[in-house]
Amino acid sequence: MSDICIKPQLLRHVLPRVLSVALLTSLAGCGLFNENKKLPPAPKIAAPETLYNNGIDALRTRRYALAASEFETLQQNYPYSGYIANAQLMEGYAYYLKGKYPEAVQQLNRFISLHPTSSDSAYAYYLRALCFYEQIADVQRDQQGTAESMDALEEVVTRFPQSKYARDAQLKIDLCRDHLAGKEMLVGRYYQREKNYEGAINRYQRVVQDFQTTNHVPEALERMVEVYLDLGLTDQARKSAIVLGYNYPGSKWYRYAYDNLHRYHLLTDKFPIPGKVVSASDMPKDAEPGTAGAKKGTAMEPDALATDTRNENTQPQAMPIKAAPVTPVKAEPTAPADSAGSPPK
């Protein structure tokens, strides 16, 4: 029998196929040997009451990031648990204490939309308003955040006028208004320095007319006296000074206005002596508060601003939430949702 001769050209085509078949066979063999091996089990998620209690413990020990994580895990894995509402509210509370106000607002909006009739709705609205309040910028910056804070706080007062949060919300509304008035005064003083008297008067008049309950009204009236005197409008200067004198006779701003009028020889017997309390019967008609937008005795005293609890060096504190949501809960027979997201049967 003659030896079989394999041509080199045939070898180049056949050899790669043979090697491929051998490789596939070896891989299949490995699969046969390992078919009985089990995959590692998925990590077990704690029970909903455990997650909730862990979040509460983290809150009490000021581990706010961990608390938010525990409450979020509960919501993701037990969407039909009876603890969802509390978890949503407490996650927002944790974000608030952490200083993550946008995240807190987002979480509280979720709670409000999903649980509009909850007994904790008043607190949710109040806490959301505080998130805006904590972000109020300095008067030298844009005050859009102050306006948003006022809107949110007014919603608390409107929706829950009898709640314990309404009174604190109203106080903060007054502080917001004082902040906005401070912004108007800042711009008005700038215009006055630049001798843009029309712009300055417009700003001061807005303070007097739109922010009557703030402590900026006396200064606004005195600045109006200054501007009118610079413009040579003595009658307007007199009227502004009279309103100032009969509404804020003890104010330093009235003393400044009184001295300015004295220097220009514009004083008459209509002007009260600085520091003397004037009765309503002694007030001339052109000095009535309503005629110039100022109200007697309604301006906030400067020391009233000390009630503002916002402090960059301290941890912001909301009014305490009621005891129920922060009380550890007992186990409930609730299983995690399946992969399709359907409720447990």
Side-chain angles (χ1 to χ4, degrees), residues 133-198:
Y133 182 77
E134 298 294 345
Q135 298 179 83
I136 292 178
D138 183 81
V139 293
Q140 297 188 17
R141 302 178 63 182
D142 182 74
Q143 294 302 303
Q144 179 62 32
T146 307
E148 292 178 348
S149 177
M150 280 188 60
D151 291 340
L153 289 165
E154 287 173 349
E155 192 169 10
V156 175
V157 176
T158 302
R159 288 178 176 271
F160 311 98
Q162 304 302 321
S163 72
K164 59 184 178 182
Y165 309 113
R167 184 165 179 251
D168 186 71
Q170 184 60 59
L171 173 62
K172 286 180 169 57
I173 290 172
D174 294 338
L175 295 175
C176 287
R177 293 176 62 82
D178 192 270
H179 206 71
L180 292 174
K183 176 67 174 183
E184 295 296 323
M185 292 300 301
L186 181 71
V187 177
R189 288 190 292 266
Y190 170 79
Y191 284 151
Q192 186 176 356
R193 288 194 302 270
E194 297 297 316
K195 301 187 183 304
N196 181 355
Y197 295 130
E198 182 179 0

Side-chain angles (χ1 to χ4, degrees), residues 112-152:
I112 290 170
S113 63
L114 294 177
H115 313 284
T117 59
S118 170
S119 58
D120 293 315
S121 291
Y123 185 79
Y125 277 95
Y126 168 76
L127 189 59
R128 184 182 66 170
L130 287 191
C131 291
F132 291 113
Y133 182 77
E134 298 294 345
Q135 298 179 83
I136 292 178
D138 183 81
V139 293
Q140 297 188 17
R141 302 178 63 182
D142 182 74
Q143 294 302 303
Q144 179 62 32
T146 307
E148 292 178 348
S149 177
M150 280 188 60
D151 291 340

